[in-house]
Amino acid sequence: MSAGYIDEMHEAFHSDLVYRAEDIPLDCSPKPKDLEQTLHGLMKLNGLVIRSLEEIAGRGANAVTYRAGKKFGHEVAQYFQKREDVEGALHELSDLLRGQYSFEVWKPEDKEKFIIEENGETFIYLVFHDCIVRQTLRRNGLDQGGPLCQTLFGYVVGAVEEITGRKAKLEIVHTGPNACLKKLILK
Amino acid sequence: MEIHVDKDACVGCGLCVKDCPMHVYELQENVSVAVRPNNCMGCLSCHEICPAQALEHRGIYGARRHYIDIKVCEMLRKVI
């Protein structure tokens, strides 16, 4: 490595910035647009971690990722106002999470209510529109519905449990490039 | 939601009929017809699966897409 190159590298990491202990950054640095490379790096890494986890742990990978998602869901939702109606809780959750995941409660046109009772099951259909998990999977050429999706399952289940106190389960009905249909089964 | 099927392009393979969980499509005289467009939740997997690219959705929410490959896109911009 030439001395010139080392000097150039040192130069790139040198600035006149004065950093004081009391300075609290109020904005992301750099601007979000400049973070595109970072985002892609993170997505790539996340995809590789999940792929490796699946190779080593097999189906156990789902349990790990589900657990991680559930913890995240409980953590986020603990600051929400507790309420009993699941429908309202989901609306609130959807508003607050816009950016990471955006979803809507959904029903086929022949159903009157969002909470559907069928074959002894009570469930709500959720359509996930914006989803960082889907972006990551497609960025890495991985199948949808695998372990990384389990984080999302755990997330929603954890949040719903935290807000309403009701046990729930999430099932994939269909995955697509633009949205995914999921079924939140209430117990 | 408005779904348009290009009848000239549709090859009547029925993949969209099989794929859609909400039974939005039906095959009528070997052409796919969107019989329940209001049941469409906009996943667009029918677009991905259609070999003739005969489908068009209007009034759909387009999800954010970060999964482009920056380097591939840069190369494409140079070529196109």
Side-chain angles (χ1 to χ4, degrees), chain B residues 1-59:
Chain B
M1 176 83 67
E2 212 179 295
I3 304 172
H4 176 71
V5 182
D6 185 338
K7 287 182 181 172
D8 296 326
C10 178
V11 291
C13 64
L15 283 175
C16 53
V17 180
K18 279 185 200 154
D19 185 55
C20 181
M22 288 297 142
H23 313 292
V24 167
Y25 302 98
E26 261 177 24
L27 270 188
Q28 291 176 6
E29 295 169 1
N30 267 338
V31 170
S32 179
V33 178
V35 286
R36 294 177 201 88
N38 290 335
N39 266 0
C40 175
M41 33 91 187
C43 71
L44 297 187
S45 63
C46 52
H47 274 242
E48 206 164 52
I49 213 167
C50 177
Q53 300 186 353
L55 304 169
E56 191 178 281
H57 284 62
R58 282 180 194 177

Side-chain angles (χ1 to χ4, degrees), chain A residues 62-74 150-151 154-155:
Chain A
N62 287 349
V64 175
T65 48
Y66 179 80
R67 179 98 176 161
K70 204 169 170 183
K71 279 188 176 175
F72 191 22
H74 273 289
Q150 293 291 328
T151 54
Y155 188 92

Side-chain angles (χ1 to χ4, degrees), chain A residues 74-114:
Chain A
H74 273 289
E75 220 167 82
V76 169
Q78 65 182 325
Y79 304 108
F80 287 20
Q81 195 187 347
K82 306 288 177 252
R83 52 196 301 171
E84 279 181 12
D85 67 313
V86 181
E87 219 176 291
L90 287 169
H91 274 297
E92 200 177 336
L93 191 64
S94 173
D95 284 344
L96 284 162
L97 291 180
R98 210 159 276 274
Q100 293 172 50
Y101 307 108
S102 75
F103 64 89
E104 61 172 334
V105 287
W106 186 84
K107 66 176 183 61
E109 61 178 347
D110 60 326
K111 303 288 179 201
E112 281 179 13
K113 291 179 181 171
F114 286 109

Side-chain angles (χ1 to χ4, degrees), chain A residues 14-70:
Chain A
H14 180 79
S15 82
D16 297 325
L17 177 77
V18 179
Y19 192 84
R20 294 182 189 89
E22 66 272 24
D23 284 346
I24 299 168
L26 296 174
D27 294 303
C28 272
S29 162
K31 285 178 183 161
K33 174 70 189 151
D34 301 328
L35 285 169
E36 207 172 352
Q37 292 282 1
T38 313
L39 172 71
H40 277 261
L42 203 58
M43 289 203 295
K44 193 82 197 158
L45 180 68
N46 210 356
L48 290 171
V49 168
I50 288 297
R51 186 178 285 172
S52 308
L53 184 65
E54 209 174 2
E55 280 166 9
I56 292 168
R59 291 188 65 180
N62 287 349
V64 175
T65 48
Y66 179 80
R67 179 98 176 161
K70 204 169 170 183

